[in-house]
Amino acid sequence: MTDDEKIIELFFQRDQKGIRELDNKYGKICHNLSYNIVNSRQDAEECVNDAYLGAWNAIPPARPDPLLGYIVKIVRNVSLKTYWRKKAEKRSGNYTIALDEIENCITDGKTVEDEIEVRELARIIEGFLDTLNLENRVIFMRRYWFADSYKDIAEFVGLTEKNISVRLTRIREKMKRYLIEREVLL
């Protein structure tokens, strides 16, 4: 049985040790992701705790595989809710900057009528990501999913911050062309 399976079993047994084990294994990733979005250690801590509670309430019946992807998605969603709630109070943080960079490439699906278009856009963006080599896909995802800074991405992939900046600019330009070719309104 893998560590993830053991953690999930603890959740199924309603043993609170499962939350401690989850935090021991994935806590740093969860806290970093949340902090990159909300730009506050205290808010990030609250978001991660809320995510753990969400996982506690969902497991069982859910049996997530992989557990990391499951918990990261919950952390990201909780953090984004906090981010949007606090955005009116103060505009700052890596996530705001990352959103500003990519904003010109995608449409904003705020109305119910746009829901289908948003899903189609997600499918098209997935197709775009498939056109990137692995390193550029990692750079793109670290920036726009995990909201990592240029510095953190550079350290992660072993390049300079300037190289990351240039690559992201080129990837965004390529993505914009890709979207235009697929007649996505920008």
Side-chain angles (χ1 to χ4, degrees):
M1 195 180 292
T2 68
D3 290 344
D4 286 359
E5 290 170 344
K6 289 177 185 172
I7 293 169
I8 292 168
E9 270 313 306
L10 290 170
F11 273 72
F12 268 82
Q13 295 167 6
R14 307 314 287 164
D15 186 340
Q16 292 184 2
K17 184 179 176 190
I19 293 175
R20 283 192 304 276
E21 294 297 322
L22 179 67
D23 188 55
N24 288 341
K25 187 166 184 186
Y26 297 124
K28 185 175 180 180
I29 294 168
C30 293
H31 284 86
N32 286 340
L33 170 60
S34 185
Y35 178 77
N36 285 345
I37 294 172
V38 298
N39 201 33
S40 159
R41 293 283 175 213
Q42 182 178 358
D43 289 343
E45 182 70 29
E46 289 177 23
C47 290
V48 171
N49 288 337
D50 288 348
Y52 290 167
L53 177 62
W56 180 260
N57 291 332
I59 305 170
R63 192 174 282 277
D65 184 28
L67 180 58
L68 175 59
Y70 186 80
I71 193 63
V72 165
K73 186 171 183 178
I74 295 172
V75 168
R76 187 173 190 276
N77 288 341
V78 170
S79 299
L80 285 172
K81 285 179 185 174
T82 300
Y83 168 82
W84 290 116
R85 189 179 73 242
K86 294 196 174 225
K87 183 178 183 215
E89 298 170 18
K90 184 178 180 183
R91 185 172 160 79
S92 67
N94 286 338
Y95 199 70
T96 302
I97 295 166
L99 284 177
D100 288 344
E101 290 173 356
I102 201 163
E103 180 176 50
N104 293 329
C105 297
I106 59 175
T107 60
D108 187 19
K110 291 186 179 178
T111 66
V112 174
E113 293 80 19
D114 290 336
E115 185 65 29
I116 293 171
E117 289 180 19
V118 168
R119 288 184 183 157
E120 179 64 12
L121 177 61
R123 188 188 64 72
I124 291 169
I125 291 174
E126 287 174 7
F128 168 72
L129 291 174
D130 288 340
T131 69
L132 299 177
N133 66 36
L134 179 60
E135 188 172 56
N136 284 343
R137 193 174 324 136
V138 167
I139 290 168
F140 184 91
M141 294 302 293
R142 296 300 309 187
R143 181 66 176 161
Y144 300 115
W145 176 262
F146 290 99
D148 283 350
S149 67
Y150 288 5
K151 179 182 178 192
D152 290 342
I153 298 167
E155 290 172 4
F156 186 79
V157 297
L159 298 170
T160 66
E161 286 183 59
K162 180 66 177 169
N163 191 286
I164 296 301
S165 173
V166 169
R167 282 191 186 206
L168 284 168
T169 298
R170 290 178 181 160
I171 292 169
R172 286 191 307 272
E173 289 169 359
K174 182 178 178 183
M175 182 173 144
K176 189 170 186 176
R177 286 190 307 272
Y178 186 89
L179 295 174
I180 289 170
E181 288 170 5
R182 276 136 192 92
E183 299 178 354
V184 174
L185 298 176
L186 305 178

